[in-house]
Short mmCIF file of all heavy atoms in Angstrom, two decimals:
data_model
loop_
_atom_site.label_atom_id
_atom_site.label_comp_id
_atom_site.label_asym_id
_atom_site.label_seq_id
_atom_site.Cartn_x
_atom_site.Cartn_y
_atom_site.Cartn_z
N GLY A 47 -212.09 90.59 -2.14
CA GLY A 47 -211.61 89.36 -2.74
C GLY A 47 -212.17 88.09 -2.16
O GLY A 47 -211.75 87.02 -2.56
N CYS A 48 -213.09 88.16 -1.22
CA CYS A 48 -213.69 86.96 -0.62
C CYS A 48 -215.20 87.00 -0.78
O CYS A 48 -215.82 88.04 -0.58
CB CYS A 48 -213.34 86.86 0.86
SG CYS A 48 -211.58 86.62 1.18
N ALA A 49 -215.76 85.85 -1.12
CA ALA A 49 -217.21 85.75 -1.23
C ALA A 49 -217.81 85.54 0.15
O ALA A 49 -217.17 84.99 1.06
CB ALA A 49 -217.58 84.59 -2.14
N THR A 50 -219.05 85.97 0.33
CA THR A 50 -219.76 85.70 1.57
C THR A 50 -220.06 84.21 1.68
O THR A 50 -220.52 83.59 0.72
CB THR A 50 -221.07 86.50 1.62
OG1 THR A 50 -220.76 87.89 1.55
CG2 THR A 50 -221.84 86.22 2.90
N ALA A 51 -219.78 83.63 2.82
CA ALA A 51 -219.99 82.20 3.02
C ALA A 51 -221.48 81.89 3.07
O ALA A 51 -222.28 82.72 3.55
CB ALA A 51 -219.32 81.74 4.31
N PRO A 52 -221.90 80.73 2.58
CA PRO A 52 -223.31 80.34 2.71
C PRO A 52 -223.71 80.29 4.18
O PRO A 52 -222.91 79.94 5.05
CB PRO A 52 -223.35 78.94 2.09
CG PRO A 52 -222.13 78.84 1.25
CD PRO A 52 -221.10 79.70 1.91
N LYS A 53 -224.93 80.65 4.45
CA LYS A 53 -225.43 80.62 5.82
C LYS A 53 -225.76 79.19 6.20
O LYS A 53 -226.69 78.58 5.69
CB LYS A 53 -226.67 81.50 5.96
CG LYS A 53 -227.16 81.62 7.40
CD LYS A 53 -228.36 82.55 7.49
CE LYS A 53 -228.85 82.66 8.94
NZ LYS A 53 -230.02 83.55 9.05
N GLY A 54 -224.97 78.61 7.10
CA GLY A 54 -225.19 77.24 7.53
C GLY A 54 -225.97 77.18 8.82
O GLY A 54 -226.68 78.11 9.19
N GLY A 55 -225.83 76.07 9.52
CA GLY A 55 -226.46 75.93 10.83
C GLY A 55 -227.89 75.44 10.79
O GLY A 55 -228.54 75.36 11.83
N ALA A 56 -228.39 75.09 9.60
CA ALA A 56 -229.78 74.63 9.52
C ALA A 56 -229.89 73.12 9.47
O ALA A 56 -230.95 72.58 9.22
CB ALA A 56 -230.44 75.22 8.27
N GLY A 57 -228.78 72.43 9.71
CA GLY A 57 -228.80 70.98 9.64
C GLY A 57 -229.32 70.33 10.90
O GLY A 57 -229.60 70.98 11.91
N SER A 58 -229.42 69.01 10.84
CA SER A 58 -229.93 68.23 11.98
C SER A 58 -228.81 67.51 12.70
O SER A 58 -229.06 66.86 13.73
CB SER A 58 -230.96 67.21 11.48
OG SER A 58 -230.38 66.33 10.52
N LEU A 59 -227.59 67.62 12.22
CA LEU A 59 -226.49 66.87 12.81
C LEU A 59 -226.08 67.44 14.17
O LEU A 59 -225.73 66.71 15.09
CB LEU A 59 -225.29 66.87 11.85
CG LEU A 59 -224.22 65.80 12.07
CD1 LEU A 59 -224.83 64.40 12.02
CD2 LEU A 59 -223.13 65.93 11.02
N ILE A 60 -226.11 68.77 14.30
CA ILE A 60 -225.77 69.44 15.56
C ILE A 60 -227.03 70.14 16.08
O ILE A 60 -227.64 70.94 15.38
CB ILE A 60 -224.64 70.47 15.36
CG1 ILE A 60 -223.38 69.77 14.84
CG2 ILE A 60 -224.35 71.20 16.66
CD1 ILE A 60 -222.23 70.72 14.56
N ALA A 61 -227.41 69.82 17.30
CA ALA A 61 -228.62 70.41 17.87
C ALA A 61 -228.48 71.92 18.02
O ALA A 61 -227.38 72.44 18.25
CB ALA A 61 -228.92 69.77 19.23
N SER A 62 -229.58 72.62 17.91
CA SER A 62 -229.57 74.08 17.95
C SER A 62 -229.19 74.63 19.32
O SER A 62 -228.74 75.76 19.45
CB SER A 62 -230.94 74.63 17.53
OG SER A 62 -231.95 74.12 18.39
N ASP A 63 -229.38 73.81 20.37
CA ASP A 63 -229.08 74.29 21.72
C ASP A 63 -227.67 73.96 22.19
O ASP A 63 -227.29 74.26 23.34
CB ASP A 63 -230.10 73.74 22.72
CG ASP A 63 -230.10 72.21 22.75
OD1 ASP A 63 -229.46 71.59 21.88
OD2 ASP A 63 -230.75 71.63 23.65
N VAL A 64 -226.86 73.35 21.32
CA VAL A 64 -225.48 73.03 21.68
C VAL A 64 -224.66 74.32 21.68
O VAL A 64 -224.70 75.11 20.73
CB VAL A 64 -224.87 72.01 20.69
CG1 VAL A 64 -223.38 71.83 20.96
CG2 VAL A 64 -225.59 70.68 20.81
N ARG A 65 -223.90 74.53 22.73
CA ARG A 65 -223.07 75.74 22.85
C ARG A 65 -221.70 75.46 22.23
O ARG A 65 -220.94 74.61 22.70
CB ARG A 65 -222.92 76.15 24.30
CG ARG A 65 -224.25 76.47 24.99
CD ARG A 65 -224.05 77.00 26.39
NE ARG A 65 -223.35 78.28 26.39
CZ ARG A 65 -223.07 78.97 27.50
NH1 ARG A 65 -223.44 78.49 28.69
NH2 ARG A 65 -222.46 80.12 27.42
N LEU A 66 -221.41 76.18 21.17
CA LEU A 66 -220.16 76.02 20.44
C LEU A 66 -219.25 77.21 20.70
O LEU A 66 -219.71 78.35 20.78
CB LEU A 66 -220.42 75.87 18.94
CG LEU A 66 -221.34 74.73 18.51
CD1 LEU A 66 -221.60 74.80 17.02
CD2 LEU A 66 -220.74 73.37 18.89
N GLU A 67 -217.98 76.93 20.79
CA GLU A 67 -216.99 78.00 20.95
C GLU A 67 -216.72 78.64 19.59
O GLU A 67 -216.44 77.93 18.61
CB GLU A 67 -215.69 77.44 21.52
CG GLU A 67 -214.58 78.47 21.65
CD GLU A 67 -213.27 77.85 22.08
OE1 GLU A 67 -213.28 76.67 22.49
OE2 GLU A 67 -212.24 78.55 22.00
N VAL A 68 -216.80 79.95 19.53
CA VAL A 68 -216.60 80.67 18.27
C VAL A 68 -215.10 80.90 18.06
O VAL A 68 -214.46 81.61 18.83
CB VAL A 68 -217.35 82.01 18.26
CG1 VAL A 68 -217.06 82.76 16.96
CG2 VAL A 68 -218.85 81.77 18.42
N GLU A 69 -214.56 80.27 17.05
CA GLU A 69 -213.16 80.47 16.69
C GLU A 69 -213.01 81.62 15.71
O GLU A 69 -212.04 82.38 15.75
CB GLU A 69 -212.59 79.18 16.08
CG GLU A 69 -211.16 79.31 15.58
CD GLU A 69 -210.70 78.04 14.89
OE1 GLU A 69 -211.30 76.97 15.09
OE2 GLU A 69 -209.71 78.11 14.13
N ARG A 70 -213.98 81.74 14.79
CA ARG A 70 -213.96 82.80 13.79
C ARG A 70 -215.39 83.09 13.37
O ARG A 70 -216.18 82.17 13.19
CB ARG A 70 -213.14 82.36 12.58
CG ARG A 70 -212.93 83.41 11.52
CD ARG A 70 -212.24 82.81 10.30
NE ARG A 70 -211.02 82.09 10.66
CZ ARG A 70 -210.37 81.29 9.82
NH1 ARG A 70 -210.83 81.12 8.60
NH2 ARG A 70 -209.28 80.67 10.21
N ASP A 71 -215.72 84.35 13.24
CA ASP A 71 -217.08 84.72 12.86
C ASP A 71 -217.04 85.95 11.97
O ASP A 71 -217.13 87.08 12.43
CB ASP A 71 -217.94 84.97 14.10
CG ASP A 71 -219.42 85.19 13.75
OD1 ASP A 71 -219.78 84.89 12.59
OD2 ASP A 71 -220.16 85.66 14.61
#
Side-chain angles (χ1 to χ4, degrees):
C48 295
T50 300
K53 185 178 180 180
S58 59
L59 199 57
I60 300 178
S62 58
D63 59 350
V64 172
R65 300 185 64 179
L66 303 175
E67 177 186 348
V68 177
E69 176 185 341
R70 185 186 309 168
D71 187 13

